[in-house]
Amino acid sequence: VVAFFQPKLLAGKRVLVTAGPTFEALDPIRGITNHSSGKMGFALARAAREAGADVTLVAGPVHLPTPRGVTRIDVKSAREMLQATLGEEPRADVFVATAAVADWRPAAQSEQKIKKPASGAAPVVAFTENPDILQTVAQGARARSGALFCVGFAAETHDLAAHARAKLVRKGIPLIVGNIGPLTFGLDDNQMLLVDAQGVRELPRASKTVLARQLVAEIARRIAG
Ligand code: CTP
Ligand code: CA
């Protein structure tokens, strides 16, 4: 299906998407990250663009081509992702947080490579919590006034609907998309649950491209209504 045939459901709207993992440095050559491929976020950015939106994609370290017509900002860490997101948020109508943001980062980053001590003792790494990008945006003035529609993603291994609903409430967002991770990471297919104040709706297993278009249609319907 060619972009040309997609209905322009988001014409005139600005959509901001976070995607991929973050990378949290421990020293100049090491760090912690996760298996997020970025595929869902990139598919969503492409689908929003095809629907006529002006799209900015804040991407963690992934090897994916930028969808045509999408503005991409590459970041590494959660804190960089937050800064880039907050820089774009004032102009956005929709924010979709698909990124698998590392919940913690090493409390200290060594400027030099950490060497093995002669004693053979393993280092103990202390972690500190990263900012919650979605929650920060959702608690901002624009989201609270209804000018910015925020959508979260929840990757869970169990009790998907219950965990997704708890996140919806905790983060104060109108819509969250649940998917069964880590089974979805890196795959081209996905299966999603849409959870909102009304209830739960299942989007059956399909390609991330198809699901992204369905999600775009759901978002367009909600911001129009
Ligand atoms: N999220 C975010 N910034 C973070 C953590 C999460 O923006 N520091 C966003 C994700 O992009 C996703 C949503 O919040 O849209 C839910 O992420 P998830 O990791 O499932 O939830 P957490 O609140 O981090 O809880 P937990 O990992 O303990 O399940
Ligand atoms: Ca998390």
Side-chain angles (χ1 to χ4, degrees):
V1 182
V2 180
F4 184 74
F5 298 112
Q6 292 299 314
K8 300 284 184 248
L9 297 173
L10 290 177
K13 300 295 181 189
R14 286 180 179 270
V15 175
L16 176 60
V17 180
T18 61
T22 64
F23 177 86
E24 311 295 334
L26 179 59
D27 70 15
I29 56 171
R30 305 187 182 98
I32 63 161
T33 186
N34 61 65
H35 286 305
S36 168
S37 67
K39 282 179 183 170
M40 192 65 230
F42 276 61
L44 198 78
R46 185 180 300 110
R49 177 69 196 136
E50 288 172 1
D54 193 324
V55 182
T56 300
L57 178 58
V58 178
V62 293
H63 297 283
L64 291 174
T66 308
R68 185 196 301 267
V70 167
T71 303
R72 175 173 180 173
I73 304 174
D74 284 313
V75 297
K76 280 210 174 82
S77 68
R79 287 183 294 174
E80 287 171 15
M81 187 174 276
L82 175 66
Q83 287 318 308
T85 300
L86 291 180
E88 297 299 317
E89 178 266 346
R91 289 179 300 284
D93 300 297
V94 176
F95 174 51
V96 189
T98 75
V101 182
D103 290 321
W104 305 280
R105 65 176 179 274
Q109 281 90 55
S110 172
E111 307 231 314
Q112 297 181 334
K113 182 187 174 189
I114 301 168
K115 298 296 291 177
K116 285 192 288 187
S119 69
V124 175
V125 179
F127 288 95
T128 189
E129 195 170 339
N130 267 327
D132 189 317
I133 299 166
L134 175 58
Q135 195 161 330
T136 303
V137 170
Q139 286 171 359
R142 295 192 65 251
R144 289 159 60 113
S145 75
L148 175 62
F149 187 83
C150 294
V151 182
F153 268 67
E156 309 288 351
T157 54
H158 58 283
D159 297 336
L160 178 57
H163 283 303
R165 179 161 304 285
K167 281 176 191 174
L168 182 85
V169 173
R170 175 153 49 86
K171 300 189 191 229
I173 53 175
L175 177 63
I176 193 157
V177 182
N179 55 69
I180 307 276
L183 301 179
T184 172
F185 276 15
L187 300 183
D188 293 320
D189 276 31
N190 203 352
Q191 193 177 357
M192 306 195 314
L193 277 190
L194 300 184
V195 179
D196 67 8
Q198 272 68 55
V200 178
R201 211 187 119 203
E202 192 181 322
L203 298 184
R205 178 160 293 282
S207 72
K208 289 181 178 176
T209 301
V210 166
L211 289 168
R213 286 180 186 150
Q214 292 175 344
L215 185 57
V216 159
E218 288 284 341
I219 292 169
R221 189 169 61 74
R222 285 153 203 267
I223 62 175

